[in-house]
Amino acid sequence: MASTATDPGKPRPPGTGSQESSAPSQPTRRGVELVMLAFAAVIVTSALTLVSINQNSQPTTQILYYGLAFLALFGLAHLAVRRWAPYSDPLLLPLVAFLNGIGLVLIHRVDLGNAAEAARTGRTFNAAAPSQVIYTALGLVLFVLLLAFISDHRSLAKYAYTCGLTGLVALALPAVLPSVIAPSINGAKLWIRLGPLSFQPAEFAKILLLVFFAAFLVSKRELFTTAGRRFLGIDFPRARDLAPVLVAWAASIGIVVLERDLGTSLLFFGIVLVMIYIATERAVWIMIGLSLFAFGCALAYPLFNHLQQRVDVWLNPLTSESGYQLRKALFGMATGGIGGSGLGGGYPSIVPYAESDFILITAAEELGLLGLAVLLLVYMLVTTRGLRVALAARDSFGKLLAGGVSFAVALQVFVVAGGVTGLIPLTGLTTPFLAAGGSSLVGNYMLVALLMRISDSTRRPQQPSKPRPQQPPIAEAHTELVERPR
Amino acid sequence: MSELVIQLTRVGFLALLWLFVLAALRVVRSDLRSASGLKVPVPGSEKKASGKQPRTAPKSKSPRQLVVTEGALAGTRITLEGRPIMIGRADDSTLVLDDDYASTRHARLSMQGQDWYVEDLGSTNGTYLDRAKVSGPTKVPVGTPIRIGKTVIELRS
């Protein structure tokens, strides 16, 4: 804590701060960030050590190297933050690093379980942890690039419609491409495969659409609240003002429903709803949205077979025919209890997809309620830091974008955690930063980069505005003859 | 490895996890007091700098924060530090308004001695200090609303 750049309590004599370089009045708090990153690295290293001890293998010095590599990777990201966004929030990067590191250890742990199972039955399996490490590095590279190339988040607003269009195209791509490039995995056509690389365009479309919605709502907000028609005590905006939002919204949800990915469509629905709410400050939008949602559910329920299946599993996990996964998950959590079985001491790999969709169950079994609560608290901290960035933002676009991004993280965690614990029907969304899944990890790092960029602009001391050339009053100006441009 | 050691490492690791959360909460607490995180009065460091205390806490009338009370940016706080504050639709303003009734460079707040003065920069719709239209540099008392388009700001101490 001692390295907190400048002494925060020190007052600055008023009136002397004409030059920014001479008086760095705000602490950048990058020292705090480094300390917290080191703390996260220590936790991840000891988690890895515990896994190997409990799996009855002697801990080697290699684990230490892994820990150091983790620290080095995030240290580089930290240096990039120091260089390009020195005033950004000091907590976001360490919290995300913590989640990512714990996720890596849990995925590695499930890999070990799967490897033992595969050795017993004589099948082959692919370890998920190595590719997740590569995606972590890739995500951090994109994080740094985004910070380096976007020096002001407001410049993104200029490309709003481009972003919106690209986002929709990216979202539609897997549905229209032939199944050689876009294979259908588990009944959902979400992936694009190019040689060894496969990714989910929806994760990147999410970022682009967030930018579009934020910029669009900022430019049209006035019209929403003033030019509407009053009906039942509610101001409804004119259809033509709302049209682009409705089109984008319906298209994104329609595409996703056609691709049979209900989780993502729920996410888009929620994000747009909350962004309209933040922009207009009318609670009635939430009500309209929720009733639309209920209506949509009632409409879709008899039509989609796998929706009925999900609801059945949710209501009767123990007796339902396809409830095997959730059943195992519930028993896994019960085994974990309050304190968990200790890292490497349980049998999380019994649950299918224990390294991706059900990674929270892996955490709950091995770390118990206490450990799961830590993960959820860290997610809460990420969200509150993001909302705080939104509160402090000095421009509407940044406010709306930061609010949308932090809500997206919160909603995703709620849908996943609620789904795997049996609170709500299960939908396929990834746990941000924790679950195995490259596109989601990389996409989420890009979202955090945007948050850090906005946060940097809110805390950065104001530069004295550029001296403008003094123009004489118009009355004193000479009349000039100017040749008319042809 | 004996069973006891394994149980101890299990508990120890959970404790480590909670320590991480507590450390993060400590960082959160240290900048709770200012909404935008501009000033960071850490409780511990205030005592260290107690020699300079009269400067930090002049509980007098000199304003220390600019608060947006109405309009799209309501709730935003900016800590005053002596630099002039530009308000308008221009991207490099301190407070960037997205308001059809605000001009690109609408108004400026600047400090003279201990007082803050508001000055209209030739805006189309004018700047109002508590209902009176601002024509020249006008002194802004603490807590008096300044209306710019649909936005209302005031200084707080």
Side-chain angles (χ1 to χ4, degrees), chain A residues 1 7-15 17-20 23 25-27 29 32 36 39-40 42-43 46-47 50 53-54 90-91 94-95 98 102 154 218 221-222 226 281 339-343 367 370-371 373-374 377-378 381 385 388 391-397 399 458-459 461-462 464-466 468, chain B residues 1 6-7 9-10 13-14 16-21 23-42 45-46 48-49 52 55-56 71-79 81-84 86 90-101 105 108 111 113-114 121 150:
Chain A
M1 291 292 197
D7 185 1
K10 190 178 168 194
R12 226 172 40 74
S18 55
Q19 284 297 314
E20 199 222 349
S25 62
Q26 265 102 54
R29 315 212 75 201
V32 175
M36 290 297 284
F39 196 172
V42 167
I43 289 181
S46 48
L50 283 182
I53 289 175
N54 285 339
L91 263 185
L95 292 176
F98 170 82
I102 292 289
R154 284 183 296 230
V218 165
R221 173 173 48 199
E222 287 301 308
T226 51
E281 297 174 39
S341 61
L343 275 175
L367 298 172
L370 288 172
V374 166
L377 270 177
V378 170
L381 277 172
R385 291 311 275 191
R388 193 188 150 80
L391 270 182
R394 280 194 289 251
D395 64 298
S396 307
F397 174 67
K399 212 180 249 311
T458 64
R459 292 181 75 231
Q462 285 300 296
S465 50
K466 283 163 244 143
R468 279 190 301 152
Chain B
M1 284 282 172
I6 286 183
Q7 289 304 320
T9 53
R10 208 187 92 185
F13 184 69
L14 285 178
L16 203 62
L17 286 181
W18 278 96
L19 270 181
F20 182 81
V21 171
L25 284 176
R26 209 187 123 81
V27 178
V28 171
R29 192 188 64 173
S30 67
D31 54 10
L32 257 190
R33 282 176 56 190
S34 59
S36 60
L38 283 173
K39 275 275 161 61
V40 191
V42 184
S45 67
E46 242 168 56
K48 257 186 278 165
K52 300 154 188 166
R55 279 279 194 175
T56 22
L73 291 168
T76 302
R77 285 158 189 270
I78 294 174
T79 305
E81 332 176 271
R83 290 200 192 98
M86 305 288 297
D91 272 353
D92 57 348
S93 312
T94 319
L95 197 65
V96 185
L97 304 176
D98 277 309
D99 183 350
D100 291 340
Y101 299 96
R105 296 185 192 281
R108 176 168 57 203
M111 195 177 188
Q114 284 297 306
L121 301 174
K150 290 185 169 176

Side-chain angles (χ1 to χ4, degrees), chain A residues 54-55 102 106 109-110 113 325-355 358-373 375 420-421 434, chain B residues 10 13-14 17:
Chain A
N54 285 339
Q55 291 284 308
I102 292 289
L106 290 176
R109 194 263 161 277
V110 175
Q325 198 180 16
L326 188 61
R327 203 147 55 222
K328 289 293 172 197
L330 292 178
F331 277 111
M333 272 193 294
T335 317
I338 300 285
S341 61
L343 275 175
Y347 298 92
S349 43
I350 290 176
V351 185
Y353 294 104
E355 78 284 354
F358 278 72
I359 195 155
L360 282 175
I361 298 298
T362 309
E365 183 177 344
E366 304 228 306
L367 298 172
L369 178 65
L370 288 172
L372 189 63
L375 290 181
V420 296
T421 52
L434 210 57
Chain B
R10 208 187 92 185
F13 184 69
L14 285 178
L17 286 181

Side-chain angles (χ1 to χ4, degrees), chain A residues 224-250:
Chain A
F224 275 14
T225 45
T226 51
R229 161 182 309 129
R230 208 171 173 80
F231 177 67
L232 289 177
I234 302 162
D235 288 315
F236 285 98
R238 291 179 304 189
R240 61 179 147 148
D241 298 332
L242 207 53
V245 172
L246 286 181
V247 168
W249 191 9

